[in-house]
């Protein structure tokens, strides 16, 4: 008998409301912790409200995983709704404890859960969900679906150019000296996800143009390995910049679909408003 599968993720994927509704995705909200307390992304504030608060915050906010009680409540609800199990795709364990909390929450609710560490965030998480949904339609068992999603994780890549080293400094990601020198010399960082799901500085270059070139070269190397059909032009409240870069990229890569895609507010906390990047999944 085919099992009724619930699909679960978190706001690191930042799925569109249309995608969530169409596929009945259950989303747990990550938290941005300001002085007055924690606010749930997409629930307690819009992204415009988040960036307004970020500009005016006296103390730099922190990020945290969804409350454990919300996690448990979701699995209890899914159990009551008649689901046999859930497949949960969560952002990298190295960046959030959500993926570790998921099996504990499901166990407390007495519900079967298959947890996948996406080892990345943003658009690749949606791609994994789309693949899983297709495999479910094809009648594959949950264990088989999980194996196929985990097998394609290595094809997912993401690189971005933080707009603000000041934000990274406030978050404790770079030193004050590094921030000062970078501002003085117009140094830009290119940050990537590594294979283990952590983020690291891949390159330090002078000026935005060279930083974008470094990200484009990463895409070109990916294409040489296997086809890339779609690329998300990711941004932190910088749709204008994303659309401008999209036009340039479409001229350079006419066979690829480029889609401006906002990043989670949790990335905005660390990388700053204006951040741009690219992410894709190779075929």
């Amino acid at each position: 008998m085919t099992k009724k599968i619930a699909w679960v993720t978190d706001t690191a994927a930042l799925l569109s409301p249309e995608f969530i509704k169409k596929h009945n995705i259950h989303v747990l909200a990550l938290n941005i912790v300001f002085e007055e307390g924690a606010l749930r992304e997409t629930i307690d504030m819009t992204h415009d409200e988040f960036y307004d608060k970020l500009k005016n915050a006296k103390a730099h906010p922190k990020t945290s995983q969804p409350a454990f009680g919300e996690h448990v409540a979701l699995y209890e609800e899914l159990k009551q709704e008649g689901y046999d199990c859930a497949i949960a795709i969560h952002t990298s364990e190295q960046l959030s404890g959500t993926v570790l909390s998921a099996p504990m929450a499901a166990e407390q609710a007495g519900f079967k859960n298959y947890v996948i560490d996406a080892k990345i965030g943003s658009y690749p998480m949606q791609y994994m969900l789309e693949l899983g949904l297709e495999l479910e339609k094809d009648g594959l068992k949950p264990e088989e679906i999980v194996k196929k999603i985990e097998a394609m994780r290595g094809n997912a890549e993401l690189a971005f150019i933080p707009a603000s080293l000041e934000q990274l400094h406030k978050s404790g990601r770079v030193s004050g000296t590094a921030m000062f020198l970078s501002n003085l010399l117009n140094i830009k960082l290119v940050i990537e996800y590594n294979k283990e799901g952590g983020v690291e500085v891949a390159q330090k270059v002078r000026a935005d143009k060279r930083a974008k070139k470094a990200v484009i070269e990463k895409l070109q190397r990916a294409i040489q390995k296997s086809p890339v059909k779609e690329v998300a032009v990711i941004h932190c409240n910088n749709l204008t910049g994303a659309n401008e870069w999209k036009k340039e990229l479409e001229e350079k890569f006419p066979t690829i679909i480029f889609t401006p895609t906002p990043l989670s507010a949790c990335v905005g906390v660390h990388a700053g408003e204006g951040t741009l990047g690219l992410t894709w999944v190779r075929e």
Side-chain angles (χ1 to χ4, degrees):
M1 185 178 173
T2 305
K3 290 189 173 181
K4 187 181 179 185
I5 302 171
W7 290 91
V8 179
T9 190
D10 57 65
T11 51
L14 206 64
L15 305 172
S16 71
E18 295 78 19
F19 185 88
I20 292 167
K21 185 177 180 180
K22 180 181 177 181
H23 300 291
N24 194 27
I25 309 295
H26 303 271
V27 183
L28 287 158
L30 299 172
N31 293 297
I32 314 295
V33 186
F34 288 93
E35 287 179 295
E36 65 269 31
L39 294 173
R40 294 168 296 173
E41 182 174 20
T42 73
I43 297 173
D44 297 326
M45 60 180 172
T46 65
H47 270 208
D48 285 344
E49 289 168 343
F50 160 70
Y51 284 106
D52 284 342
K53 286 183 72 65
L54 186 63
K55 287 173 191 170
N56 299 317
K58 292 178 182 177
H60 193 69
K62 296 180 180 179
T63 57
S64 70
Q65 64 178 293
F68 188 70
E70 290 180 20
H71 231 142
V72 175
L74 171 61
Y75 289 119
E76 287 176 342
E77 181 184 325
L78 294 175
K79 187 178 178 181
Q80 290 171 1
E81 289 179 2
Y83 286 98
D84 296 301
C85 64
I87 296 178
I89 300 175
H90 290 301
T91 191
S92 172
E93 178 188 331
Q94 292 204 25
L95 302 177
S96 172
T98 315
V99 76
L100 297 176
S101 296
M104 293 187 287
E107 185 180 358
Q108 187 164 318
F111 186 73
K112 179 65 178 174
N113 189 23
Y114 299 87
V115 184
I116 298 172
D117 181 348
K119 296 189 181 297
I120 203 163
S122 189
Y123 163 75
M125 293 174 70
Q126 176 175 322
Y127 189 100
M128 291 175 197
L129 286 164
E130 289 173 335
L131 173 62
L133 289 159
E134 283 298 317
L135 295 171
E136 182 188 7
K137 277 185 188 176
D138 292 342
L140 273 68
K141 295 177 181 177
E143 295 85 356
E144 296 171 316
I145 294 172
V146 170
K147 280 184 182 177
K148 286 186 178 291
I149 292 174
E150 289 179 340
M152 58 73 63
R153 281 182 304 194
N155 291 347
E157 298 179 272
L158 187 154
F160 64 92
I161 306 155
S164 170
L165 291 194
E166 184 181 353
Q167 296 293 113
L168 284 170
H169 172 58
K170 287 178 180 177
S171 302
R173 298 316 198 259
V174 298
S175 69
T177 304
M179 182 186 73
F180 172 75
L181 289 173
S182 294
N183 289 338
L184 185 68
L185 301 172
N186 194 25
I187 298 294
K188 299 294 178 180
L189 304 183
V190 177
I191 294 181
E192 300 177 0
Y193 277 85
N194 58 35
K195 290 181 181 179
E196 289 73 40
V199 291
E200 58 188 28
V201 176
Q203 291 195 50
K204 297 177 183 178
V205 295
R206 292 185 73 170
D208 281 323
K209 194 172 182 179
R210 289 183 182 177
K212 285 182 177 178
K213 184 183 176 185
V215 176
I216 291 169
E217 286 172 351
K218 180 179 175 67
L219 173 59
Q220 288 171 322
R221 290 192 297 271
I223 294 167
Q224 288 171 359
K225 294 177 185 176
S226 59
V228 174
K229 291 181 180 178
E230 186 168 356
V231 174
V233 185
I234 48 178
H235 66 92
C236 290
N237 207 36
N238 187 9
L239 182 57
T240 299
N243 277 325
E244 288 172 358
W245 199 10
K246 172 180 179 282
K247 288 178 184 176
E248 295 172 25
L249 291 162
E250 285 172 337
E251 290 179 12
K252 195 172 186 67
F253 303 96
T255 62
I256 296 175
I257 297 168
F258 291 91
T259 308
T261 306
L263 282 163
S264 164
C266 291
V267 178
V269 165
H270 305 299
E273 185 175 13
T275 292
L276 285 173
L278 301 178
T279 183
W280 59 85
V281 182
R282 291 186 288 107
E283 294 293 306

